[in-house]
Every structure is written in structure tokens, then in C-alpha cells.
């Protein structure tokens, strides 16, 4: 059985972690498979949205204990290469030009929570539990830390990374790791509404907006301000923007909206 289920439903690439017997913990093989799947979906013009989910009771428990045992026997070079694989996964999700939704139907720990923090939209259920557990094992949440800090801020990250305590979905929502907490029976309906909203937006504009938000996530300088003006000027001249404005004034749907 594949450790990653790949399905395309219309314009949505559904990527499901499929190791339910160990709570979708990942090893180097699942990391490589998920990285490749996200990269492929990101480059596929028929894909508009990427949906990450988990099979079984959990979203993802983070690192597989067997994988972590193997790490202890690696050389320095092997450990670096292995860590770079996980870092590449997080970056591939984060920089995808397609919006990435995390369907958090169950608990997410350590690297699994990193996947949630990398996603553009994360919707969870009240029963889900969360923790950044690395320090309990003498490790550090290194490759997921930029995404955690961006989502929850440095001060909150200090508390949860240093104590490794579990926290609830309500707390994850307060911290900014989840955008919404909804009952399990309405989870898919809420995600479908997010998908519908995304499909109503222009795909190239979404990709450019993701790049824009990354570019302005820094101290506001004259250079940043000037580049924002340059970006919108370039965007206004694109065929997609012209079609969007024409459709608005013609009172019709733009070409990217599927009736």
C-alpha cells in the first residue's frame, strides 16, 4: 500500500498521508514522495489547489521513530542530507504557486505541525491536539521553526517550542496555526467553501499574490513600497487581469471560473 495517496478531483490535487497505523509519521520515503507530489501538482496547469490530509485518526505525528533511530547512526554528511530533505519538503509546500489547504482532521505533532504551518489555509476539528515535541527527544524544531514563527510569532513559539506541551485546537486557532476550528461533520463542507472561493479567483493572480506576501513580510522600507507599486503595475497589464476587469464590467464570469 502506498504511503501517500494521490488523487485529483477536478482542479484539486488531494495528497493523503497514508500510514494510519503509525499516525502518519513520516520517514525519508514519505518525505520524498510528498515533496515530489507537491512539486508535480504545483507545475500541473490542470491543478488549481493542493489539499493535504491524513488517513486514520491523526493528521501526522511528525517523525517516524524508526527513522529517528536510523538518524542516530548517520554520519554528519548523511544527517545533513537527511535534514535537507525535510527542509526541502517544507519549502516546496510553502513556495507552491498553488494554494495549499491542510485538512487537520486529527492531531499534528512536531514536523506534522510544520506541514500545517506551511499551508496557506488550515482548518481543524476540536478534537485535534498539537505539540512541538522535539526538545523532549533532545532535538530542536529547526526546519519547521521559520514557519512556526511566521504563523504564531516569536514569543508564542518560545513557549510552545521550549515546553513541548500539548495544546488544543482552540489554542492553535488563537495562535494562528489554524484559521478555523469546525465540527468534524462539517469539516469537508467548510473546506469545500474555501475551495469554491479559491476557484473563483484568477490562478495567476493567486500565485503572484503568494509571491507578493512573501516579499512584503519584512520591515517596510522605501524599496518594499516601490516594489509593491511595480508589482501591481505589471499585473494590471497581464491578459488575466484584463479578462478579470472585462468580465466585471460585462457582468459575466471570467474565463477561469467553471460554471
Amino acid at each position: 500500500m502506498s504511503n501517500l495517496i494521490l488523487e485529483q478531483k477536478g482542479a484539486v490535487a488531494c495528497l493523503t498521508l497514508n500510514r494510519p497505523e503509525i499516525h502518519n509519521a513520516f520517514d525519508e520515503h514519505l518525505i520524498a514522495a510528498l515533496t515530489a507530489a507537491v512539486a508535480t501538482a504545483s507545475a500541473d496547469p490542470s491543478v488549481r489547489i493542493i489539499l493535504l490530509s491524513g488517513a486514520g485518526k491523526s493528521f501526522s505525528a511528525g517523525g517516524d521513530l524508526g527513522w529517528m533511530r536510523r538518524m542516530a547512526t548517520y554520519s554528519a554528511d548523511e544527517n545533513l542530507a537527511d535534514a535537507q530533505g525535510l527542509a526541502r519538503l517544507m519549502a516546496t509546500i510553502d513556495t507552491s504557486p498553488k494554494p495549499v489547504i491542510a485538512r487537520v482532521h486529527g492531531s499534528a505533532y512536531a514536523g506534522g505541525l510544520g506541514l500545517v504551518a506551511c499551508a496557506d489555509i488550515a482548518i481543524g476539528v476540536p478534537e485535534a491536539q498539537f505539540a512541538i515535541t522535539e526538545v523532549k527527544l533532545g532535538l530542536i524544531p529547526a526546519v519547521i521553526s521559520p514557519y512556526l514563527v511566521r504563523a504564531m510569532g516569536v514569543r508564542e513559539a518560545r513557549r510552545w517550542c521550549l515546553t513541548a506541551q500539548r495544546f488544543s485546537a482552540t489554542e492553535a486557532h488563537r495562535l494562528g496555526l489554524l484559521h478555523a476550528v469546525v465540527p468534524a461533520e462539517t469539516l469537508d463542507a467548510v473546506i469545500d467553501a474555501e475551495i469554491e472561493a479559491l476557484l473563483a479567483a484568477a490562478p495567476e493572480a493567486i500565485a503572484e499574490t503568494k509571491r507578493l506576501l512573501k516579499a512584503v513580510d519584512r520591515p517596510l522600507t522605501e524599496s518594499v513600497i516601490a516594489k509593491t507599486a511595480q508589482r501591481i503595475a505589471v499585473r494590471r497589464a497581464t491578459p488575466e487581469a484584463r479578462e478579470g476587469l472585462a468580465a466585471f464590467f460585462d457582468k459575466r464570469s471570467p474565463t477561469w471560473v467553471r460554471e
Side-chain angles (χ1 to χ4, degrees):
M1 185 179 292
S2 173
N3 59 12
L4 181 66
I5 299 172
L6 312 177
E7 297 177 280
Q8 186 165 341
K9 299 179 180 179
V12 182
C14 303
L15 312 181
T16 305
L17 307 178
N18 190 38
R19 305 182 82 197
E21 70 283 359
I22 54 171
H23 300 279
N24 299 316
F26 43 72
D27 59 9
E28 66 271 40
H29 306 297
L30 179 53
I31 288 168
L34 185 55
T35 303
V38 173
T40 298
S42 296
D44 185 343
S46 71
V47 171
R48 297 274 304 276
I49 297 162
I50 298 170
L51 177 64
L52 296 180
S53 61
K57 295 181 178 180
S58 301
F59 178 75
S60 174
D64 177 351
L65 292 176
W67 175 50
M68 287 192 276
R69 283 194 193 96
R70 291 196 297 278
M71 286 181 210
T73 67
Y74 287 175
S75 68
D77 287 344
E78 288 171 330
N79 251 314
L80 179 59
D82 187 80
Q84 286 171 335
L86 183 57
R88 202 157 37 244
L89 169 60
M90 301 295 164
T92 301
I93 294 170
D94 180 58
T95 60
S96 172
K98 312 294 171 72
V100 179
I101 301 175
R103 179 186 181 276
V104 190
H105 77 293
S107 298
Y109 299 131
L113 185 51
L115 297 178
V116 175
C118 288
D120 298 295
I121 299 168
I123 311 293
V125 299
E127 297 79 14
Q129 294 284 309
F130 303 86
I132 307 161
T133 56
E134 283 84 349
V135 294
K136 283 189 172 182
L137 301 174
L139 302 173
I140 59 175
V143 301
I144 66 173
S145 61
Y147 312 103
L148 294 173
V149 167
R150 188 179 60 192
M152 66 169 73
V154 172
R155 190 70 190 283
E156 292 287 4
R158 285 181 176 182
R159 176 188 180 186
W160 299 108
C161 290
L162 299 179
T163 65
Q165 295 177 94
R166 291 186 185 183
F167 53 94
S168 68
T170 301
E171 184 68 2
H173 182 226
R174 184 190 73 80
L175 292 169
L177 289 163
L178 293 178
H179 291 96
V181 179
V182 301
E185 59 269 23
T186 65
L187 177 61
D188 288 328
V190 171
I191 288 174
D192 285 346
E194 296 290 321
I195 289 170
E196 184 178 352
L198 290 167
L199 291 177
E204 291 175 17
I206 281 182
E208 181 60 26
T209 297
K210 289 189 67 171
R211 290 189 289 269
L212 166 68
L213 295 176
K214 187 175 290 293
V216 300
D217 186 20
R218 62 194 66 196
L220 189 58
T221 63
E222 288 298 326
S223 174
V224 170
I225 292 169
K227 286 177 180 176
T228 61
Q230 182 181 33
R231 283 174 182 269
I232 187 57
V234 170
R235 165 65 16 193
R236 285 171 182 164
T238 63
E240 189 180 74
R242 289 174 177 159
E243 164 61 14
L245 288 169
F248 176 79
F249 289 117
D250 293 344
K251 295 180 170 36
R252 60 174 174 83
S253 296
T255 55
W256 58 78
V257 174
R258 298 176 181 178
E259 300 294 347

